[in-house]
Every structure is written in structure tokens, then in C-alpha cells.
Amino acid sequence: MSRVIALVDANNFYVSCERVFNPKLVGRPVVVLSNNDGICVARSNEVKALGVKMGTPWFQIQDLAGRHGIVALSSNYTLYADLSNRIMATLAGFSPKQEVYSIDECFLDLTGMHHRMGGIDHAALIDFGQTIRTRVGRWVGLPVCVGMGSTKTLAKLANHVAKKRPQFSGVFHYGQISAREQNQLLAGIEVGEVWGVGRKIAERLKQRGIHSVLDLRDADPKSLRNTFSVVLERIILELRGESCLDLEDIAPAKQQIMCSRTFGELVTNGKELREAATAYTTRAAEKLRAQGSVAGAVQVYVRTNPFKERDPQYQAAVTIPLISPTDDTLHLVKAALNGLQQIHRQGYRYQKVGITLLDLDAPRSRQMQLFDDADPVELHSRKALMSTLDAINRQMGTGTLRLAAEGYGQRWKVKSESKSPCYTTRWDELAVAYAR
């Protein structure tokens, strides 16, 4: 039976999330800015048409924004994450095998669906893709495109075609066109558009005369494996319809967890650095418990702003090993603050502090240590405390309960001067409809 993999991807995800609860933004040029409102991390089609590139600093397009009425919004990651969960829950109803690939895209295994004697019913698959688009649009309010192919790489490529070519109305199955049409299609797509081929690899491929996806598909996989890697060989085979990548039903646990933010304003005193380090360690610990892991070490780093050349420059990092791997916020914060004390130096204007949890493992697989201080009653009590803390913050909003060491003023917090409300996760920020 022919394999069919679908890649469902939300269009201009961050911008589309903002438009769900603010319809006035539909049709207007909109950008979503990074932490501290620094650079453009999402652009509407109207902004893309103006030539604004991903990662453009906001201050560089102020004049353009004034002339064309570009609306700039601060990132609202809480809203985006919640709408992402709603999309993935909706898409899970279309296939028993789903791989959530990123915040706005996932793979679905449609093998066995819409087959008939002699092969795949392409018309039925296209209709099924339109059903996916319609349901996500009605249930979540977000536009998506659907690409289908016999491999994950072809599905990803088909999704690119569905987005870029209006004649397919947002749904494209690579197998719906003839071999000659496939060659014409691939010849018109740059090799850098292939999933897994980054900018640097694309440049090296072009030096070897491989400019289009067709050139890559028809290249010698063994030769490119010797020059590049086995990954590129698999990409070529996938482009030829030979499946090398399976769907991951369960996302693998992260090998390290990092939490870091650029400060809203430069920090000069140790108290504010400790507050930020505590807050970031707390967020990292929540993610650690969510994936069911414990950490064996905590790394802390600080740095000044390298672009302020007149300021004294300093950066440093230290790793604090833990006697016993843990997911306890209090233990992790203690280690982080110990590390911060070792590397903090007076007389600098700090731009960032970061926390990374290392040596992650499952609790059941860790080896006991000679100096383990494991009182079963205390361990149970602390585990219950962490579970209660997580449950309350999930229900009432992140940061509802937090350590006092995080501080209250938090002048260092990320600037979000144009942030939309958290419409779906905070009772006090629900959208309100007024009758006329």
C-alpha cells in the first residue's frame, strides 16, 4: 500500500494568532516582535510584500511602518502556545499517527486512507486536505496549508508548494501530478527550500552545480554522503520517494533545557541578577518536570551587551554539578544562585543571564550516590509540593505562585509594550463582546 504523509502547517502563525481575537488586523500589514520588541520574528503577507525580511530590527523599518501603517505587536507566547495545543488536538482527530514537529506544524500518517483499486484516490485525498483546513479554521480560527507525499521530505516540499501556489487552494499532493510535471515543479524550486538543507549546505551544493530540488534529487547519493553526510543521502532518497524517516509518535525528551532572556534594561546590581536567575531556573524546572526528567547539573552564564562598545565587557559561565539529580525547583535555584555568586563581578552593566539544566535523565534510571540524603518522607513531601505548584500555575497562569526570591518590581523583565491580552489563558483578559 502506498504511503501517504501529510504536513499541516499554520500560515504566518504568530500573526494569525493575533488576528483570531483582533479581526481589525486582517488585511493589514502586521509584524510580531521578539523579546524586548527588538526584531521581526513574524510577518504578515502584506509586510512580506513590502520587502521586510525575517529578523529585521524594528528600528530599521520605522519610516516604512509609518508610510504603510505597519502594526507592530510584542510576542505573546502564552497565547501562541495555547492556540498551538488547540490546533494539534484538532489535527489528532484526522489520523491515529501524529508527530508534532513544531509549534505550528505536524505530520499526519494518512496511509490506507482514500485508497482504491490500483492506487491512491488523489481527488479524495485533496478533499480530505480541504476538510482539515476547514475544520481547523472553524474550530481554532487559524489558516493552515496541507502538503502530502510518500515521505516526510516530499510532504514538507508539497506544503511549500501549497503555500506558494494559489492554484492549489492550500492543499497539494505531490503524487497528484505526472512525473513530467514533477520534474518541472522541482526544477523551479531552489535547493535551499528542501527540509534539512540549510543555507550553508545550499551554498556548497550550488558550488557543485546543484541549484534546484531536481538537481539534488537526481544527484548521486553515495557521492554526496561522502562529501556531506548520511543525512543528505537520506534527503535525496526521500525526494525519490524512498521513506527513510518514520513518524515519532512521542517526541524525544530534551537533552538539556535552557531559559534565558535579554533584560528589558541593563542590570547593574546583584539583587536583580539573582531575581532573574531565580525566575529563569523556576521556568526551566517546570519544563523539566513536564517531560518527567531530573537534572544532574545546572549551568549559569552572564554577559554584558557586546554592541555597547564603550561599556566594559564581561561574560562568564559556570557549571554546578548536583550531588543527587533532581527536579525540585528549590534545589535547582540554590545551585543556580551558587553558580551566579561565583561568576558575578561588580562594575558591569549586564544584558543577560541564562540557566541551562544539564545531564537530564529519567528519575528511575539514575544511580544512587554515596552521599544521597534521601529521606523518603521528605522526598514525598517535596514532590507533592512541586506537583501542587505546577497544578496551580497551570490552572491560574504561569507565575501565580512563585518564589519570593524572584522579586516583585522586576525592572529587568522583558519589554512587551505592545503585547495583546492572553485571551485564552487568563480570566481577567478574556475577550469581551459588546452588543450594539
Side-chain angles (χ1 to χ4, degrees):
M1 185 176 294
S2 300
R3 192 183 192 210
V4 179
I5 302 297
L7 189 279
V8 186
D9 185 11
N11 303 340
N12 306 323
F13 180 62
Y14 290 175
V15 171
S16 295
C17 288
E18 298 288 351
R19 286 173 167 171
V20 170
F21 294 96
N22 189 355
K24 293 181 179 179
L25 297 176
V26 176
R28 297 187 62 185
V30 179
V31 295
V32 174
L33 304 176
S34 63
N35 292 330
N36 287 318
D37 298 342
I39 63 174
C40 301
V41 295
R43 304 154 295 152
S44 67
N45 289 335
E46 296 80 6
V47 172
K48 293 176 183 178
L50 295 173
V52 177
K53 303 297 183 183
M54 179 70 78
T56 301
W58 171 237
F59 75 88
Q60 290 184 1
I61 58 172
Q62 294 286 333
D63 292 341
L64 184 70
R67 293 196 303 271
H68 295 278
I70 297 177
V71 178
L73 300 171
S74 304
S75 298
N76 187 343
Y77 296 118
T78 302
L79 175 66
Y80 308 153
D82 186 65
L83 291 185
S84 171
N85 291 336
R86 296 181 185 212
I87 286 181
M88 300 311 165
T90 301
L91 294 176
F94 288 96
S95 172
K97 295 190 68 176
Q98 176 189 36
E99 177 189 335
V100 178
Y101 179 66
S102 70
I103 190 173
D104 63 343
E105 57 187 331
C106 80
F107 291 100
L108 299 174
D109 191 341
L110 306 184
T111 303
M113 301 181 188
H114 308 296
H115 280 69
R116 59 185 179 184
M117 293 298 293
I120 297 171
D121 187 338
H122 298 295
L125 268 180
I126 298 301
D127 289 343
F128 190 66
Q130 292 296 347
T131 300
I132 292 175
R133 295 187 74 224
T134 300
R135 184 176 298 180
V136 173
R138 287 179 177 174
W139 290 13
V140 189
L142 295 172
V144 299
C145 284
V146 183
M148 306 178 195
S150 58
T151 69
K152 292 173 75 174
T153 302
L154 285 176
K156 190 83 164 154
L157 192 65
N159 185 274
H160 170 80
V161 174
K163 279 188 174 183
K164 299 296 183 182
R165 308 206 176 188
Q167 66 265 34
F168 295 114
S169 302
V171 178
F172 177 68
H173 180 222
Y174 185 74
Q176 76 185 77
I177 58 178
S178 67
R180 181 178 62 83
E181 291 172 323
Q182 289 175 4
N183 290 342
Q184 292 175 343
L185 176 70
L186 299 185
I189 303 176
E190 289 192 4
V191 68
E193 296 293 343
V194 176
W195 183 40
V197 176
R199 180 178 57 84
K200 292 184 178 179
I201 293 179
E203 291 174 356
R204 292 175 59 193
L205 287 172
K206 290 176 182 179
Q207 292 172 0
R208 298 172 62 94
I210 300 174
H211 297 274
S212 68
V213 181
L214 181 64
D215 294 334
L216 181 61
R217 187 202 68 183
D218 294 342
D220 178 22
K222 297 298 182 183
S223 174
L224 291 185
R225 171 178 178 164
N226 294 334
T227 305
F228 292 86
S229 68
V230 67
V231 175
L232 193 59
E233 179 189 31
R234 290 172 180 167
I235 289 173
I236 295 172
L237 295 176
E238 288 246 327
L239 288 174
R240 296 178 179 181
E242 182 179 331
S243 180
C244 301
L245 304 171
D246 291 327
L247 262 65
E248 296 179 358
D249 296 325
I250 301 175
K254 296 179 180 179
Q255 299 303 303
Q256 61 182 35
I257 295 176
M258 173 183 290
C259 187
S260 175
R261 300 284 187 275
T262 300
F263 295 141
E265 57 184 72
L266 297 179
V267 169
T268 57
N269 67 73
K271 178 178 179 295
E272 291 183 324
L273 277 180
R274 291 191 295 274
E275 289 178 357
T278 300
Y280 299 160
T281 306
T282 299
R283 300 292 90 77
E286 290 173 351
K287 296 177 181 179
L288 182 71
R289 290 192 292 273
Q291 76 170 33
S293 299
V294 291
V298 180
Q299 184 183 75
V300 189
Y301 79 90
V302 293
R303 81 168 195 205
T304 54
N305 189 341
F307 297 103
K308 291 188 176 294
E309 298 178 354
R310 295 184 179 181
D311 285 359
Q313 297 296 313
Y314 173 70
Q315 62 177 5
V318 64
T319 299
I320 306 297
L322 303 172
I323 295 177
S324 299
T326 183
D327 62 2
D328 189 303
T329 296
L330 298 179
H331 289 319
L332 295 170
V333 166
K334 182 178 180 181
L337 295 182
N338 179 20
L340 180 64
Q341 183 178 14
Q342 294 182 33
I343 60 177
H344 175 233
R345 300 291 183 271
Q346 296 288 348
Y348 294 98
R349 285 152 44 91
Y350 292 97
Q351 182 195 36
K352 178 181 286 190
V353 63
I355 302 296
T356 305
L357 304 183
L358 304 170
D359 297 341
L360 307 192
D361 206 346
R364 62 182 179 277
S365 65
R366 76 178 182 89
Q367 183 175 350
M368 299 297 289
Q369 304 294 322
L370 176 62
F371 297 103
D372 266 352
D373 184 17
D375 179 0
V377 176
E378 181 182 357
L379 286 176
H380 178 75
S381 176
R382 291 296 283 267
K383 186 175 180 62
L385 174 62
M386 293 299 111
S387 297
T388 302
L389 188 68
D390 291 341
I392 292 174
N393 285 333
R394 277 197 303 270
Q395 182 174 355
M396 305 304 296
T398 300
T400 300
L401 283 182
R402 63 178 190 262
L403 301 183
E406 291 186 32
Y408 296 94
Q410 298 185 338
R411 294 188 309 114
W412 45 268
K413 285 194 72 172
V414 171
K415 289 182 180 178
S416 299
E417 296 178 352
S418 302
K419 181 173 172 290
S420 56
C422 294
Y423 298 104
T424 61
T425 54
R426 294 188 65 92
W427 288 106
D428 57 338
E429 296 184 11
L430 290 176
V432 178
Y434 295 96
R436 291 187 176 181

